[in-house]
Amino acid sequence: MPVHRSGTPHRLRLLALGTLLAAFSLLSTVSAPPSSAADTPARGSARMGMGVLAHDGQAGTPTTGDATQTEGVDVSGYQGNVAWSTLWSSGVKWAYTKATEGTYYTNPYFAQQYNGSYNVGMIRGAYHFATPDTTSGATQANYFVDHGGGWSGDGKTLPGTLDIEWNPYGAACYGKTQSAMVSWISSFLAQYKARTGRDAVIYTATSWWSDCTGNYGGFASANPLWIARYASDPGTLPAGWPYYTIWQYTSSGPTVGDHDKFNGGLDRVRALAVG
């Protein structure tokens, strides 16, 4: 009686299926974009402190109830419409709103955020996210002033802030040497003052400032420092500044994530607004 050998065709079918699956796996690997490209955010989406956790990490929060400091927040299009009355009731007395980025982006929520904070009684200001690899400092200062970053002596408008930190779209220092970065910043600051009569605040992190400007200390005499550090204290400050004016201490605060402390009472916040 003949013996029926069914195993060989079965094994051939399994082999063919395995070859097909391997081919599909190889195709998907080749087709998939590199993870770095997939992780790069869209232009315009950058916000104050975006790179702090990734580069400097987080190590606690400051003690609460310090009467010599005044609570504030910074917001961008990332937050959308902000509940300003809730923040005001929680003790937040001042705010900064992202107005612009480079020369290609304006915050679509700027009016709600900038005017909304003012309308509940806060002292408010605007900030610009710098992209030194796209256009000159002076060009970006003009764009900032022309799109919400100006200043008025009404006692409730803070001078504009230059947000200069890690590049979320590429090389951390925007492809610039330390001396070229200092020149770019200087160009922005000079043009901002020429347009508004005020010295802009500089927002940065000590580690970025050290890496990308060589820890340059030449702006400290005129430009207030807004330091970014998510810890129980602001840590070592960049060269030249003996103290900070503002400290961004967390990106996970109540109502709005980015919370800050002004180094002084509300009268000092008003003093900065008046100039």
Side-chain angles (χ1 to χ4, degrees):
M1 183 176 181
V3 178
H4 180 63
R5 302 182 183 276
S6 58
T8 299
H10 180 65
R11 284 195 296 273
L12 289 173
R13 286 195 297 272
L14 287 177
L15 180 61
L17 179 60
T19 302
L20 184 62
L21 289 173
F24 275 118
S25 175
L26 178 61
L27 180 61
S28 63
T29 301
V30 172
S31 302
S35 59
S36 58
D39 294 340
T40 301
R43 282 277 178 180
S45 63
R47 58 190 184 275
M48 189 173 277
M50 192 172 184
V52 173
L53 285 174
H55 292 87
D56 285 350
Q58 182 169 338
T61 56
T63 57
T64 59
D66 189 340
T68 64
Q69 294 185 326
T70 308
E71 191 77 6
V73 295
D74 58 271
V75 298
S76 68
Y78 176 77
Q79 277 87 15
N81 291 323
V82 175
W84 290 112
S85 58
T86 300
L87 284 165
W88 176 262
S89 298
S90 72
V92 173
K93 301 304 177 187
W94 60 271
Y96 266 93
T97 295
K98 179 182 177 181
T100 51
E101 176 179 321
T103 52
Y104 51 79
Y105 173 85
T106 57
N107 176 7
Y109 293 93
F110 182 76
Q112 193 276 342
Q113 295 174 347
Y114 190 71
N115 297 328
S117 55
Y118 182 94
N119 290 338
V120 298
M122 293 184 190
I123 302 172
R124 51 76 194 274
Y127 78 85
H128 173 78
F129 192 96
T131 57
D133 58 339
T134 59
T135 47
S136 71
T139 299
Q140 291 193 29
N142 283 328
Y143 187 79
F144 178 43
V145 173
D146 292 342
H147 295 87
W151 175 80
S152 62
D154 59 1
K156 293 190 69 176
T157 302
L158 294 159
T161 290
L162 172 64
D163 178 0
I164 186 80
E165 56 175 295
W166 297 278
N167 178 11
Y169 312 117
C173 298
Y174 300 86
K176 290 193 174 295
T177 64
Q178 293 173 342
S179 61
M181 182 63 76
V182 170
S183 295
W184 191 97
I185 295 169
S186 180
S187 173
F188 182 99
L189 298 175
Q191 185 63 14
Y192 185 81
K193 185 167 185 177
R195 289 288 306 273
T196 66
R198 294 298 309 271
D199 289 301
V201 177
I202 294 176
Y203 169 97
T204 195
T206 299
S207 61
W208 183 91
W209 192 262
S210 179
D211 291 341
C212 298
T213 75
N215 205 21
Y216 179 75
F219 302 127
S221 61
N223 301 96
L225 173 66
W226 187 342
I227 191 69
R229 187 169 188 256
Y230 301 165
S232 58
D233 61 70
T236 301
L237 303 180
W241 280 284
Y243 58 88
Y244 66 89
T245 297
I246 305 173
W247 168 26
Q248 186 191 53
Y249 67 88
T250 186
S251 61
S252 55
T255 308
V256 166
D258 294 352
H259 276 245
D260 311 87
K261 292 187 179 297
F262 193 97
N263 193 9
L266 188 57
D267 61 322
R268 301 314 304 159
V269 183
R270 292 196 187 99
L272 180 60
V274 171

